[in-house]
């Protein structure tokens, strides 16, 4: 800064400024004199400083432009001062507070003080050329390019969001709520990237961004009510509010819900339990910034170039643990189809050649295999699935829904050739439905895939099979089940014939009335057809009969069971709900009659809602009817 700059700021001539500075200002008004002297004081102007600056003398002083209210400012400043002092330099602190006018004034002050260089922390780089001394910029993002006298030392906030989500997912969480501040765009991008890499769909409705007031009044109330097992917070202050709100509800951390912060701080260690957070190595970042600046100031050679970044890490404390497990019973493996269901409400089931108009179209996760896996998962069964999805949006949604329902999905593969299977479902007002299936990627599932995941059958009690996949896969899987002493539960959907040699290898055969009629045409009754299958070698035949209940035939029973008394809205998922509940309760050691009772009620509850997987009952919901089931079936 020179005398002309002071004159420009004060809107007077340079000669007026000179007279005031040299005490020759008798002819100048008191108001003008005060304005000039105040400006000189504000900018700490030193006459002839430019001449001194252009000399070869060094001041051994570093300027630091930093908003002291920023994340990590205290740690950065302390480390900058310590590192500078170790190298024989002192610092001049300039707190910009994010104010561009303050920054401009501080830059002039630093240049008047003849600093040898400047470290700019979280500063706007638009007017970087205002600095006529070497500078290093500490940022929370990586700039596209840095050149000339400017160098960058950085960490990436996007990386912080990525690490936090990745850590929670690896701990077993898939239902994660994110509460961020309104300008946390980089953190949000990192969170989304982590979910995409884990093949999980991040529901944007689970990400709340707002002001402090909006977070307190809306975010915490709304987003903690969602079905989540973990909360990701923008910083420790928000995490502290989450702790408090959960405590008011009687929810423990991490027993009830895990909590993690994207930004660390002293408060994290004062919370109970101590808060797990993403940590930025601010001391190391500051040391690198000072070293980089001194390399330029002292003309040292460097192998580092002008762009340096530091990685982040998780500071693991006590606020995160895997979701509480409520898994019951022995292992169940589902080998079957997964589709996206296209649900059409129709006035009645269409007849041959009839065209109907639908006034409602919904897309919901479906497929016999996925339905049964989700049904078992929601009942806290220990369930694994082997299946195939298209590598498309529908596939990702189905995959995410399996995980969020408690299904282990290591046997589910994404196909890069065919799209995810579709099922077109017509639903009439009385709840009856018809289905047309496009197999898609399901038809690409082959013996090699089952071989690759055959180990999942080790130690399993039951394998659930539905015939929306190829008969070749069904036969091969049954063969492997027999070798591993795994009992087979088969649903004969979308099939008109079954090879007779398979019957003696089926432990539980569960067709509905229409499927039974397709397999065994003729006027015989349900009991007679079930008798035929039993004599063909099927150990247990259970025919589901919709509103008429079901029929069991095995060596001990030939018995009808009534349906649960629920009003049907959509019967599409009833049979899958029945099978999944039957398998879970059998895996827990219930006898077959009581398992049928629970299965009947699971089916009844399912058909009271539209859709299939979304209508599967939870363990707690089904257990509400435990006494009624025992009275009715035992």
């Amino acid at each position: 800064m020179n005398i002309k700059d002071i004159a420009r700021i004060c809107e007077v001539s340079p000669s007026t400024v000179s007279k005031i500075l040299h005490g020759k200002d008798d002819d100048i008004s008191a108001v003008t004199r005060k304005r000039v002297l105040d400006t000189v004081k504000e900018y700490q102007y030193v006459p002839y400083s430019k001449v001194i600056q252009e000399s070869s003398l060094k001041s051994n002083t570093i300027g630091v432009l930093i908003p002291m209210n920023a994340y990590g400012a205290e740690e950065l400043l302390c480390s900058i001062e310590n590192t500078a002092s170790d190298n024989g330099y002192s610092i001049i602190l300039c707190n910009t507070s994010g104010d561009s006018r303050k920054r401009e004034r501080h830059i002039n002050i630093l240049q008047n003080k003849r600093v040898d260089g400047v470290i700019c922390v979280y500063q706007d780089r638009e007017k970087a050329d205002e600095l006529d001394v070497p500078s290093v910029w500490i940022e929370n993002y990586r700039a596209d390019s840095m050149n000339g006298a400017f160098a960058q030392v950085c960490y990436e906030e996007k990386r912080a969001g990525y690490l936090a989500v990745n850590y929670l997912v690896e701990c077993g969480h898939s239902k994660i709520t994110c509460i961020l501040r309104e300008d946390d765009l980089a953190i949000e991008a990192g969170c989304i990237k982590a979910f995409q890499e884990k093949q999980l769909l991040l529901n944007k409705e689970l990400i709340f961004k707002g002001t402090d007031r909006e977070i307190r009044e809306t975010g915490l109330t709304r987003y903690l009510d969602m079905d989540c097992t973990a909360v990701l917070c923008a910083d420790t202050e928000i995490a502290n509010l989450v702790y408090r709100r959960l405590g008011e509800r009687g929810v423990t951390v991490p027993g009830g819900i895990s909590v993690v912060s994207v930004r660390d701080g002293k408060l994290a260690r004062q919370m109970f339990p101590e808060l797990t957070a993403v940590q930025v190595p601010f001391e190391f970042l500051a040391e690198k910034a000072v070293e980089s600046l001194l390399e330029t100031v002292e003309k040292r050679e460097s192998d580092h170039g002008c762009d340096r970044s530091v990685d982040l890490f998780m500071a693991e404390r006590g606020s995160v643990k895997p979701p509480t497990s409520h898994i019951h019973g022995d292992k169940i493996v589902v080998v079957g189809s997964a589709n996206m269901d296209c649900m059409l409400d129709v006035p009645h089931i269409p007849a041959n050649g009839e065209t109907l108009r639908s006034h409602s179209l919904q897309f919901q996760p479906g497929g016999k295999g996925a339905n049964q896996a989700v049904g078992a998962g929601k009942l806290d069964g220990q369930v694994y699935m082997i299946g195939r999805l298209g590598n498309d949006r529908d596939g990702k949604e189905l995959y995410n829904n399996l995980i969020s329902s408690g299904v282990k999905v290591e046997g589910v593969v994404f196909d890069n050739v065919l799209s995810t299977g579709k099922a077109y479902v017509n639903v009439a007002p009385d709840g009856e439905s018809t289905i047309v299936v496009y197999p898609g990627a399901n038809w690409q599932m082959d013996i090699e895939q089952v071989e690759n995941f055959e180990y999942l059958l080790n130690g399993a009690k039951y394998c659930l099979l539905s015939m929306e996949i190829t008969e070749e896969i069904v036969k091969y899987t049954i063969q492997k089940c027999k070798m591993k002493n795994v009992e087979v539960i088969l649903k004969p959907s979308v099939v008109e014939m079954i090879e007779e040699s398979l019957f003696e290898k089926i432990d539980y055969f569960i067709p509905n009335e229409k499927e039974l009629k397709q397999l065994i045409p003729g006027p015989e009754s349900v009991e007679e057809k079930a008798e035929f299958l039993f004599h063909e070698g099927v150990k247990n035949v259970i025919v589901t009969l919709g509103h008429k209940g079901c029929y069991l035939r095995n060596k001990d029973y030939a018995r009808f069971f009534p349906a649960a008394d629920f009003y049907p809205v959509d019967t599409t998922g009833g049979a899958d709900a029945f099978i999944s509940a039957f398998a879970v309760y059998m895996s827990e050691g219930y006898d077959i009659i009581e398992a049928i009772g629970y299965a009947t009620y699971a089916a009844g509850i399912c058909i009271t809602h539209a859709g299939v997987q979304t209508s599967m009952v939870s363990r707690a919901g089904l257990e509400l009817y435990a006494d009624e089931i025992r009275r009715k079936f035992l």
Side-chain angles (χ1 to χ4, degrees):
M1 170 169 277
N2 57 38
I3 200 169
K4 291 181 180 179
D5 296 321
I6 297 293
R8 175 178 52 79
I9 293 169
C10 296
E11 299 180 342
V12 297
S13 67
S15 62
T16 298
V17 175
S18 179
K19 286 179 181 181
I20 293 171
L21 292 177
H22 292 89
K24 300 177 181 180
D25 52 3
D26 293 340
D27 59 339
I28 297 173
S29 70
V31 173
T32 300
R33 183 187 305 110
K34 184 177 185 305
R35 185 163 73 249
V36 170
L37 291 176
D38 286 348
T39 301
V40 168
K41 182 179 180 181
E42 180 182 3
Y43 286 89
Q44 298 184 37
Y45 171 66
V46 179
Y48 313 116
S49 60
K50 183 170 177 56
V51 175
I52 297 171
Q53 281 179 307
E54 290 174 349
S55 71
S56 60
L57 295 176
K58 284 174 73 272
S59 66
N60 287 341
T61 306
I62 296 172
V64 182
L65 289 169
I66 184 171
M68 287 304 295
N69 58 345
Y71 175 46
E74 185 178 339
E75 295 97 319
L76 284 169
L77 185 60
C78 288
S79 190
I80 288 171
E81 197 281 327
N82 289 335
T83 308
S85 179
D86 290 343
N87 285 272
Y89 286 77
S90 57
I91 69 167
I92 297 177
L93 167 64
C94 297
N95 179 14
T96 60
S97 302
D99 186 320
S100 59
R101 187 175 180 279
K102 274 188 175 183
R103 191 185 74 149
E104 182 181 354
R105 180 169 65 84
H106 284 313
I107 287 173
N108 285 318
I109 290 171
L110 292 175
Q111 293 179 157
N112 285 330
K113 295 294 187 183
R114 301 185 300 112
V115 296
D116 297 318
V118 178
I119 294 177
C120 302
V121 182
Y122 307 142
Q123 298 297 318
D124 181 5
R125 213 183 263 125
E126 261 184 33
K127 298 183 179 179
D129 55 1
E130 292 175 355
L131 292 165
D132 57 7
V133 293
S135 61
V136 172
W137 299 70
I138 295 178
E139 300 286 7
N140 54 13
Y141 66 96
R142 185 190 295 273
D144 293 336
S145 64
M146 296 294 293
N147 51 52
F150 306 113
Q152 180 192 46
V153 177
C154 69
Y155 70 94
E156 295 189 69
E157 274 198 328
K158 181 178 178 179
R159 171 76 175 159
Y162 174 87
L163 278 180
V165 169
N166 202 52
Y167 177 78
L168 288 172
V169 172
E170 288 182 355
C171 286
H173 296 277
S174 59
K175 301 176 181 179
I176 302 170
T177 294
C178 303
I179 303 179
L180 308 177
R181 299 194 186 278
E182 56 188 347
D183 56 351
D184 285 330
L185 300 179
I187 292 173
E188 180 185 17
C191 293
I192 293 172
K193 179 184 177 186
F195 268 81
Q196 289 173 338
E197 286 189 5
K198 292 292 185 182
Q199 302 284 0
L200 296 172
L201 279 178
L202 177 60
N203 187 345
K204 289 293 188 70
E205 293 181 359
L206 293 179
I207 300 179
F208 180 86
K209 291 191 300 182
T211 62
D212 287 349
R213 180 175 179 178
E214 289 168 341
I215 288 170
R216 286 194 306 271
E217 296 181 358
T218 305
L220 294 178
T221 301
R222 176 182 172 189
Y223 283 73
L224 293 183
D225 284 339
M226 294 187 174
D227 182 22
C228 65
T229 61
V231 181
L232 182 150
C233 304
D235 52 41
T236 54
E237 287 76 14
I238 294 175
N240 194 40
L241 291 174
V242 169
Y243 269 43
R244 199 178 310 165
R245 192 64 61 88
L246 291 174
E248 291 169 358
R249 299 179 178 195
V251 179
T252 61
V253 176
I257 290 181
S258 292
V259 182
V260 68
S261 174
V262 176
R263 299 181 179 94
D264 200 9
K266 290 181 179 178
L267 179 60
R269 295 168 188 82
Q270 297 167 4
M271 297 164 66
F272 183 80
E274 291 188 9
L275 179 66
T276 295
V278 180
Q279 200 164 72
V280 180
F282 286 118
E283 292 184 5
F284 184 49
L285 195 68
E287 288 172 7
K288 294 185 78 167
V290 175
E291 290 168 2
S292 180
L293 182 64
L294 295 185
E295 283 170 1
T296 303
V297 169
E298 298 180 356
K299 297 182 172 57
R300 304 177 191 169
E301 289 190 6
S302 171
D303 297 328
H304 303 293
C306 61
D307 183 12
R308 304 181 186 186
S309 61
V310 299
D311 203 2
L312 315 179
F313 60 93
M314 294 299 304
E316 297 183 69
R317 298 186 182 111
S319 64
V320 177
K321 75 173 190 177
T324 302
S325 174
H326 300 289
I327 291 175
H328 297 270
D330 295 321
K331 185 197 288 189
I332 299 168
V333 179
V334 177
V335 182
S337 60
N339 297 319
M340 182 58 72
D341 288 349
C342 306
M343 311 289 294
L344 290 160
D345 286 344
V346 293
H348 57 266
I349 300 301
N352 289 341
E354 184 178 12
T355 300
L356 297 178
R357 179 178 284 112
S358 173
H359 296 285
S360 174
L361 171 64
Q362 298 180 53
F363 294 91
Q364 297 182 357
K368 295 293 183 186
N371 291 345
Q372 292 168 20
V374 167
K378 286 189 173 182
L379 290 170
D380 299 333
Q382 186 186 171
V383 58
Y384 294 74
M385 182 171 180
I386 299 174
R388 202 170 191 93
L389 301 167
N391 193 10
D392 50 29
R393 182 176 180 82
D394 286 343
K396 302 294 179 13
E397 185 173 342
L398 289 167
Y399 189 86
N400 186 57
N401 196 57
L402 287 166
I403 291 175
S404 63
S405 301
V407 180
K408 311 296 188 301
V409 292
E410 56 195 284
V412 178
V413 171
F414 287 93
D415 191 277
N416 291 316
V417 177
L418 293 180
S419 62
T420 297
K422 302 286 190 299
Y424 299 89
V425 185
N426 295 315
V427 182
D430 62 358
E432 289 299 311
S433 61
T434 60
I435 307 172
V436 176
V437 175
Y438 162 70
N442 294 303
W443 222 241
Q444 290 286 87
M445 188 163 72
D446 54 19
I447 288 176
E448 182 180 359
Q449 182 179 340
V450 179
E451 282 180 337
N452 290 339
F453 298 103
E454 182 185 315
Y455 66 88
L456 294 176
L457 291 168
N458 295 338
K461 177 67 174 175
Y462 296 108
C463 177
L464 307 188
L465 283 166
S466 58
M467 299 191 76
E468 286 183 341
I469 54 177
T470 67
E471 188 172 351
E472 179 186 34
I473 298 297
V474 172
K475 289 166 63 176
Y476 179 82
T477 304
I478 290 175
Q479 178 185 347
K480 290 297 178 183
C481 287
K482 295 299 104 179
M483 292 171 59
K484 296 174 181 286
N485 295 317
V486 179
E487 295 184 34
V488 173
I489 300 176
L490 179 66
K491 168 72 172 172
S493 52
V494 198
V495 65
E496 294 180 358
M497 289 185 63
I498 294 178
E499 192 174 303
E500 290 185 7
S501 62
L502 288 179
F503 286 135
E504 63 181 8
K505 299 174 184 177
I506 299 172
D507 298 280
Y508 299 88
F509 189 63
I510 310 182
N512 62 30
E513 195 168 6
K514 290 179 182 177
E515 290 161 349
L516 184 64
K517 188 176 293 186
Q518 282 181 308
L519 290 168
I520 309 174
E524 292 84 5
S525 66
V526 167
E527 300 100 301
E528 290 170 326
K529 292 178 180 181
E531 189 73 23
F532 171 79
L533 291 171
F534 176 68
H535 284 292
E536 286 294 309
V538 179
K539 299 174 183 62
N540 299 272
V541 181
I542 303 173
V543 185
T544 57
L545 302 168
H547 67 278
K548 295 182 289 185
C550 68
Y551 177 76
L552 166 67
R553 176 66 173 102
N554 63 12
K555 66 182 180 63
D556 298 317
Y557 299 99
R559 175 178 170 183
F560 279 97
F561 297 90
D565 189 17
F566 293 97
Y567 181 78
V569 172
D570 176 8
T571 63
T572 309
D576 294 328
F578 183 99
I579 291 170
S580 57
F582 179 78
V584 168
Y585 282 87
M586 288 291 286
S587 76
E588 295 175 29
Y590 284 71
D591 69 56
I592 192 169
I593 302 301
E594 194 166 3
I596 286 176
Y598 278 100
T600 299
Y601 271 71
I605 295 167
C606 176
I607 65 174
T608 62
H609 301 85
V612 180
Q613 293 183 23
T614 54
S615 303
M616 293 291 180
V617 66
S618 67
R619 181 82 181 202
L622 187 54
E623 289 291 343
L624 292 174
Y625 297 92
D627 292 340
E628 185 176 329
I629 290 168
R630 293 188 186 99
R631 285 197 305 271
K632 196 169 183 178
F633 286 83
L634 298 182

